[in-house]
Amino acid sequence: MMETLEGRHIVVTGGTGALGGAVVGRLLEQGAICHVPNAHAAAPSHFPFTAHDNVKLAHNVDLSDSAKVEAFYSQVPALWGSIHLAGGFAKAPVEKIESASFAEMMDTNARTTFLCSRAAIRSMLASGSAGRIVNVTARAGLDPRRGAGMVAYTASKAAVAAMTVAMAEELKANGILVNAVAPSTLDTPANRADMPDADFTKWVSLEAAAEAIAYLASPTNQAMSGTLVPLYGRA
């Protein structure tokens, strides 16, 4: 019988966001126990799983703070998977990007991914168990020519892609599979508000993205590692 996610503990950073809610929902349908770090004192009101028995929220967790990340992961029992959706976006002509803005993008996207991956890997290696790590890069992270006008964001997502492949190679003998998805534009309410004249039918639905992420994080995925999965929809 194929192994499932039933009873498996999975961290989902950015789990209270639009994509995060879809991913947590899909994992819960498959029986997973989701540990969701939240930067604020309470979950946002739109997060639908606050009271769910299999959702463990942790508040005031700064994912760019190494000590707080390690403390959060240390209380997750029998960690199977870690999905890193937390991140940010910024767009500006290169001549107008301040050093602090560039650093912020690297912290928000690359540093948080590194710290959470490292903490997850430490936990998995200490327990001697296999596991799954799923990161989120971007189309521009795989094809930097698409990053014109958003150089800092593109650089941070390219770093995520590079880390993913390097970690997968390093950990392949340990049964820890590391992959990333690379979405184009996700069909979220925020993106629709920002781009009201766009053709939404070309965007990637949250359900489709969540399904791909859940597969990569599952024991059903027995061989894919070091893969950067394009989620481009019809774009």
Side-chain angles (χ1 to χ4, degrees):
M1 183 178 294
M2 187 68 68
E3 288 187 279
T4 70
L5 286 174
E6 186 71 36
R8 294 182 188 263
H9 293 266
I10 300 181
V11 168
V12 185
T13 77
T16 61
L19 176 58
V23 169
V24 169
R26 188 70 186 98
L27 296 174
L28 292 174
E29 288 173 2
Q30 298 181 34
I33 301 166
C34 297
H35 299 260
V36 181
N38 175 35
H40 306 291
S45 58
H46 60 75
F47 182 61
F49 304 112
T50 301
H52 196 289
D53 288 345
N54 278 358
V55 172
K56 314 300 180 184
L57 281 160
H59 302 301
N60 298 312
V61 180
D62 179 356
L63 296 178
S64 65
D65 184 314
S66 177
K68 289 185 177 181
V69 170
E70 292 292 333
F72 168 74
Y73 275 84
S74 71
Q75 51 80 45
V76 178
L79 180 67
W80 163 259
S82 197
I83 298 171
H84 308 137
L85 310 179
F89 176 78
K91 187 173 185 178
V94 65
E95 72 274 12
K96 294 184 178 179
I97 300 174
E98 300 294 339
S99 177
S101 299
F102 183 87
E104 182 181 2
M105 274 293 94
M106 295 303 290
D107 278 348
T108 302
N109 292 322
R111 181 179 173 84
T112 60
T113 297
F114 167 73
L115 291 177
C116 292
S117 295
R118 185 184 68 176
I121 290 162
R122 285 174 170 172
S123 176
M124 293 170 186
L125 291 177
S127 65
S129 63
R132 304 289 183 268
I133 293 173
V134 185
N135 297 321
V136 178
T137 178
R139 190 170 189 173
L142 306 189
D143 181 7
R145 289 186 183 277
R146 290 181 171 270
M150 46 185 181
V151 167
Y153 173 78
T154 298
S156 68
K157 288 298 191 178
V160 170
M163 280 192 289
T164 298
V165 176
M167 287 189 291
E169 184 67 18
E170 183 174 333
L171 296 163
K172 62 185 180 182
N174 302 98
I176 300 171
L177 308 187
V178 188
N179 295 284
V181 296
S184 55
T185 305
L186 291 171
D187 189 0
T188 66
N191 283 338
R192 287 192 176 213
D194 289 343
M195 295 173 274
D197 298 326
D199 183 352
F200 306 145
T201 64
K202 294 184 176 180
W203 293 359
V204 179
S205 74
L206 295 177
E207 294 75 19
E211 186 65 33
I213 291 166
Y215 171 76
L216 293 173
S218 74
T220 305
N221 171 27
Q222 299 184 38
M224 289 178 65
S225 193
T227 303
L228 306 174
V229 182
L231 299 181
Y232 296 166
R234 294 173 54 210

